[in-house]
Amino acid sequence: MFERLDQIEGEALVAIAAATDEGVLRDLEVRFLGKKGALTEVMKGMRDVAPADKPKVGARVNEVRAAVEGAITTRRDALEGERIARLSADPDFDVSLPPFDVGRLGLEGRVGGVGALHPLTRVTAHIEDVFRAMGFLLLDYPEVESEFFNFDALNIPATHPARDMQDTFWVETPPGVDKQLLRTHTSTGQVRTMRAMKPPFRAIFPGRVFRYEEVDASHEHTFHQVEGLMIDRKVSVANLIYSMKTLLSEIFEREVTIRLRPGYFPFVEPGFELDIQCQVCGGKGCSVCKHSGWVELLPCGLVHPNVLRHGGLDPNEWQGWAFGLGLSRLVMMKYQIEDIRHLLGGDLRFIQQFE
Ligand code: PHE
């Protein structure tokens, strides 16, 4: 009995010391310590051992078991240490790699999620592509703006009732400093562009705009617009219609039918509201278009002479058209989003749907 135990111990320790990987160690564990392993076999022989000798044999069995277990643990730690040392010495191994790549190398780790672009970001990028292809510049203007560029320069003097059309967030400014506000529309860029560029030119300026609004399913205090402006010697409503049709057909990825209605904005003359045939019902009438078959999408018009003058341009020499495309409604139509509050709600599950 004791001889057999010595033999098992010797064999096990030699084999464990020679083990070169974790798999071999696990096999040895089964072979010597497992339910059908060598030590269990010995235990079965206990029946035939004289009662007086049983405690001694039992003690020796435990000793061998402890020795084999200890050797396996030691060897396992050593193998793991070697593996880490090998990785650290490898010049191609980068400890700063994301978990995915570390996992590939055999270290456990979690795979990070893949992000998605916000639908507003997607649509904005798409619009930028369409206009860039038509020779438009892409410009960017401040969100905190002077009263002048937001109103006065656009033919909306202080006493003009049109100021009430857009409820404004005013920024507190010390006395004597020009009044500042959060821009209520991207039209602030019109006169800024005229003053900065030599005509003829064409440009778009996308951005965030702000209005003091009660928030509900179709109103937000913060939303996105893309302003378009084209200045040339001869510019007509036909140019405007062509550009708008091209844009909308690209965005909706099909021919769209549009119509113009007169619309009033102090900075355009004539001014229009451009409607698009409802993309949900195809013009037959549904709840989205309030059963009219048309959805109001984009105000536009020919630039008012007073605005050209503020921009330093002679209205007898230069003409222009401008539009102000609201992105919220467009994005909601394109992706069939029923509530505007999803757009800036910050819920990642919403954005994840647009991967
Ligand atoms: N700036 C106007 C608005 O936000 C829209 C507009 C832009 C109208 C350009 C005409 C021309 O309501």
Side-chain angles (χ1 to χ4, degrees):
M1 207 89 199
F2 287 110
E3 258 168 50
R4 175 70 187 129
L5 283 169
D6 288 346
Q7 191 194 353
I8 290 172
E9 185 178 32
E11 253 177 53
L13 295 185
V14 170
I16 290 165
T20 49
D21 68 59
E22 171 67 16
V24 174
L25 275 182
R26 235 171 319 181
D27 290 345
L28 291 174
E29 211 168 8
V30 172
R31 188 169 130 206
F32 290 102
L33 306 175
K35 262 195 213 142
K36 291 181 184 158
L39 273 184
T40 315
E41 279 307 311
V42 172
M43 292 294 282
K44 280 182 188 157
M46 284 289 262
R47 263 178 267 141
D48 308 325
V49 175
D53 293 337
K54 274 189 184 170
K56 272 195 201 155
V57 176
R60 179 68 185 132
V61 167
N62 287 341
E63 222 175 77
V64 173
R65 179 184 302 279
V68 173
E69 276 173 0
I72 287 176
T73 307
T74 307
R75 186 68 192 134
R76 191 171 274 151
D77 290 349
L79 284 176
E80 180 65 7
E82 278 171 28
R83 198 169 68 85
I84 290 172
R86 217 172 27 248
L87 281 177
S88 324
D90 179 353
D92 292 332
F93 179 71
D94 180 354
V95 286
S96 68
L97 277 182
F100 177 76
D101 289 310
V102 176
R104 190 167 56 78
L105 291 170
L107 295 176
E108 51 293 335
R110 263 192 301 159
V111 178
V114 176
L117 288 179
H118 194 289
L120 278 168
T121 309
R122 267 171 206 269
V123 170
T124 308
H126 193 170
I127 292 172
E128 289 170 7
D129 282 348
V130 173
F131 277 100
R132 215 179 280 128
M134 296 196 287
F136 281 69
L137 293 168
L138 177 57
L139 302 175
D140 190 29
Y141 291 113
E143 292 177 346
V144 177
E145 186 49 282
S146 69
E147 185 180 23
F148 176 76
F149 285 116
N150 197 88
F151 291 124
D152 302 79
L154 293 170
N155 201 30
I156 319 175
T159 53
H160 199 291
R163 284 219 181 183
D164 300 333
M165 282 164 65
Q166 303 178 351
D167 285 310
T168 309
F169 285 114
W170 293 93
V171 177
E172 273 182 38
T173 37
V177 173
D178 273 358
K179 270 170 108 183
Q180 302 283 307
L181 46 76
L182 299 186
R183 64 176 173 194
T184 60
H185 52 184
T186 44
S187 301
T188 50
Q190 289 191 18
V191 168
R192 280 182 175 277
T193 308
M194 291 174 205
R195 290 186 177 187
M197 311 269 298
K198 224 170 97 59
F201 59 80
R202 47 188 90 171
I204 57 166
F205 9 111
R208 277 200 306 179
V209 302
F210 311 86
R211 286 187 204 172
Y212 186 62
E213 293 251 18
E214 186 103 44
V215 174
D216 64 25
S218 47
H219 296 88
E220 258 287 6
H221 49 65
T222 301
F223 50 100
H224 294 72
Q225 291 184 334
V226 179
E227 192 88 2
L229 177 67
M230 174 166 170
I231 301 286
D232 210 325
R233 291 184 192 279
K234 280 231 164 315
V235 168
S236 69
V237 175
N239 295 142
L240 173 62
I241 294 175
Y242 171 77
S243 304
M244 296 305 97
K245 263 199 89 138
T246 307
L247 168 69
L248 295 171
S249 300
E250 283 278 348
I251 299 293
F252 287 100
E253 294 164 37
R254 64 179 102 143
E255 270 298 302
V256 295
T257 309
I258 61 171
R259 74 174 184 192
L260 291 185
R261 285 179 293 118
Y264 174 69
F265 300 90
F267 38 95
V268 285
E269 180 59 41
F272 305 102
E273 288 287 357
L274 186 150
D275 297 341
I276 178 173
Q277 201 168 59
C278 182
Q279 295 300 296
V280 178
C281 64
K284 288 195 194 73
C286 67
S287 62
V288 171
C289 58
K290 299 197 186 84
H291 303 283
S292 72
W294 297 93
V295 178
E296 186 178 311
L297 200 59
L298 154 143
C300 53
L302 297 189
V303 179
H304 194 287
N306 286 349
V307 178
L308 291 170
R309 281 190 201 100
H310 275 299
L313 302 177
D314 178 355
N316 295 318
E317 200 180 338
W318 299 103
Q319 295 178 309
W321 57 246
F323 69 85
L325 175 60
L327 287 186
S328 308
R329 197 172 299 168
L330 190 69
V331 167
M332 289 169 76
M333 278 254 271
K334 185 171 160 81
Y335 294 103
Q336 323 258 302
I337 298 163
E338 79 295 352
D339 191 321
I340 196 173
R341 289 168 291 195
H342 290 315
L343 292 181
L344 299 181
D347 189 333
L348 288 181
R349 291 170 305 174
F350 166 73
I351 302 170
Q352 216 72 42
Q353 300 176 68
F354 303 98
E355 241 181 75

